Amino acid sequence: MTAGAPHPTVLSTLRTMSGPVRVLVLGNLISNLAAFLNAFLVLFLTGQGFSAGESGVVLMALMVGRISGSAVGGSVADRVGYRWVVTGSMAGTAVLTAAIVHVPNVWVGALVACGAGLTANAYRPAAMAWIVAETPKDRHVMVFSLLRLTFNVGSTVGPLGAALLLAYASYDALFYVDAATSLAFGVVAFAALGPGREPAPAAAGKTANQEERPGYGRVLADRRFLLVVLGLFLTALAYIQSSAALPLFVKGSGHSAQVYATLLTINGFMVIACEVLLSKWTQRLPIGVPMVAGMALLGVGHLIYAGPSPVAMLVLATVVWTFGEVVAAPSMMAYPGLVAPPALRARYIGAATTPQQVGYAVGPLIGTAGWHAWGSGVWVLTGGFALAGAVFVAAGAGLRRRRVEPEPAEPALASSADSQ
């Protein structure tokens, strides 16, 4: 975007999205409308006669697969291309999700669940890297806010579909529908994202001074990027408390489950209603500013929870940290691909998302343990995580405006080294 040019609006961004980006965004919506495996795996297994402990082992295997999926997917995508990873991971997810229905014992169940978790997350670095390659830099934040919108809409509407399937069919049907949506996304991606439509970042994997393709070692050598990744990890530890420490805190403060449900509703409404529209302004800022501001607001919201706990204060705290989520999240998604060299886009994205998955996995353990040990003092801990995350991101991404240069004729091959 040249100096003095108008900033992209929501409608102009929608109109100018390339065909592959439209397919990937729509596919994300379809797959998330029926992403039932995480929420209903334990209930299904216990209903099939597995013990609570065995069901927990299978669920843990699913989480391990999801954590490793981003790193594996990022590495493979930069080597073999985005298209094969997107379509292959969706096909694998479909087969393994359907296979969950037929597992004979806990160990087979754990193996299948781990594979399903891995393939379900393996496509994300490839899809996000493809979106980056097809999108002008000044529209990255807006496009990723639209991608997040499809996730949030799917997560909101999906449980309604699950309730209908459980009312009129069975858990088997639930997982078969989940598998079918993954397969549908894979088929559409394979047909619509033909070889001629794919950017070729892997072709840039060799440099003048390097005969082999770069790997994660190059990513880990980027110290400023690693500071941002640490900030993303700490933020994930704090953010996941909305489903870990918060329900315990609300109940422990003498409020009903309806109050907790109201807080979640406020969060969901604000994210869906405000995030895309707010991205019109946040995309104009240096990429570090909305990330730092949003993480700081997340921390402040948690610190408000640590004070008096009438319903009005709970609502205020929820509004504050949700506004932080709305401000930061699209820029957090856009950042890795924006600063990555073309040959390392998927690896940068995988390196950023894997620690977040770890944060989402261990955060509930920290939050619940902190609640039982310190009561409302847990919010000082988790608020501190978010504020520390803001500091690390400020140090890594910086707060100064980057020099915006005109897009090259072939954005898929554009280097983003100037964004560092």
Side-chain angles (χ1 to χ4, degrees):
M1 185 178 67
T2 58
H7 292 280
T9 63
V10 178
L11 291 178
S12 69
T13 299
L14 287 170
R15 284 196 298 266
T16 58
M17 281 196 306
S18 69
V21 172
R22 293 175 189 270
V23 170
L24 292 169
V25 171
L26 179 61
N28 193 64
L29 173 62
I30 293 171
S31 61
N32 279 295
L33 282 171
F36 303 135
L37 190 59
N38 279 20
F40 295 96
L41 178 61
V42 170
L43 291 176
F44 166 73
L45 291 173
T46 53
Q48 294 295 109
F50 288 82
S51 69
E54 290 173 332
S55 301
V57 168
V58 178
L59 180 62
M60 181 62 69
L62 177 68
M63 294 299 103
V64 169
R66 292 183 67 87
I67 290 170
S68 59
S70 293
V72 172
S75 179
V76 175
D78 279 336
R79 289 180 178 274
V80 305
Y82 305 150
R83 179 173 180 253
W84 286 109
V85 172
V86 171
T87 56
S89 63
M90 285 296 98
T93 301
V95 171
L96 292 168
T97 301
I100 284 287
V101 175
H102 305 286
V103 295
N105 57 60
V106 62
W107 304 116
V108 174
L111 183 63
V112 172
C114 183
L118 188 151
T119 55
N121 263 15
Y123 97 94
R124 297 187 186 279
M128 292 170 67
W130 199 332
I131 290 171
V132 168
E134 294 274 344
T135 304
K137 291 180 183 179
D138 62 320
R139 298 174 188 261
H140 283 187
V141 172
M142 177 69 74
V143 170
F144 277 110
S145 72
L146 292 168
L147 188 69
R148 266 183 52 87
L149 178 64
T150 63
F151 172 80
N152 289 315
V153 170
S155 300
T156 301
V157 177
L160 301 177
L164 291 174
L165 285 170
L166 290 176
Y168 296 102
S170 65
Y171 279 111
D172 292 10
L174 198 70
F175 293 139
Y176 286 143
V177 169
D178 189 341
T181 58
S182 297
L183 182 61
F185 181 16
V187 170
V188 170
F190 186 81
L193 306 178
R197 307 296 300 275
E198 181 178 7
K206 291 184 180 181
T207 65
N209 299 318
Q210 184 177 348
E211 291 301 318
E212 297 182 357
R213 298 184 191 280
Y216 274 113
R218 286 272 302 280
V219 181
L220 297 176
D222 188 341
R223 295 182 180 179
R224 293 187 62 186
F225 180 72
L226 292 184
L227 287 174
V228 175
V229 170
L230 178 56
L232 296 178
F233 168 70
L234 292 171
T235 303
L237 290 178
Y239 175 75
I240 198 62
Q241 302 310 323
S242 61
S243 58
L246 185 57
L248 297 174
F249 170 66
V250 170
K251 182 179 179 181
S253 299
H255 301 295
S256 65
Q258 285 76 13
V259 171
Y260 174 62
T262 299
L263 299 181
L264 291 186
T265 301
I266 291 171
N267 169 257
F269 173 79
M270 286 182 62
V271 170
I272 292 174
C274 302
E275 189 167 280
V276 172
L277 295 176
L278 191 62
S279 295
K280 178 181 176 181
W281 286 274
T282 58
Q283 70 182 347
R284 306 177 186 181
L285 303 171
I287 192 71
V289 171
M291 289 196 291
V292 171
M295 293 173 181
L297 286 170
L298 174 63
V300 170
H302 281 207
L303 293 178
I304 294 174
Y305 281 140
S309 56
V311 172
M313 292 300 293
L314 299 183
V315 170
L316 174 63
T318 302
V319 168
V320 170
W321 72 256
T322 299
F323 190 70
E325 176 189 358
V326 168
V327 168
S331 296
M332 289 165 58
M333 290 186 69
Y335 179 80
L338 185 65
V339 302
L344 290 169
R345 280 196 186 108
R347 285 186 177 89
Y348 264 69
I349 293 168
T353 55
T354 298
Q356 291 181 74
Q357 292 292 330
V358 174
Y360 295 145
V362 304
L365 301 177
I366 295 174
T368 53
W371 162 253
H372 287 298
W374 306 307
S376 61
V378 69
W379 299 114
V380 177
L381 174 66
T382 61
F385 285 154
L387 294 174
V391 172
F392 283 116
V393 169
L399 301 177
R400 294 180 299 176
R401 183 174 298 279
R402 294 188 320 273
R403 178 167 53 91
V404 179
E405 298 181 352
E407 290 292 323
E410 190 63 48
L413 300 178
S415 172
S416 58
D418 62 316
S419 300
Q420 293 279 26

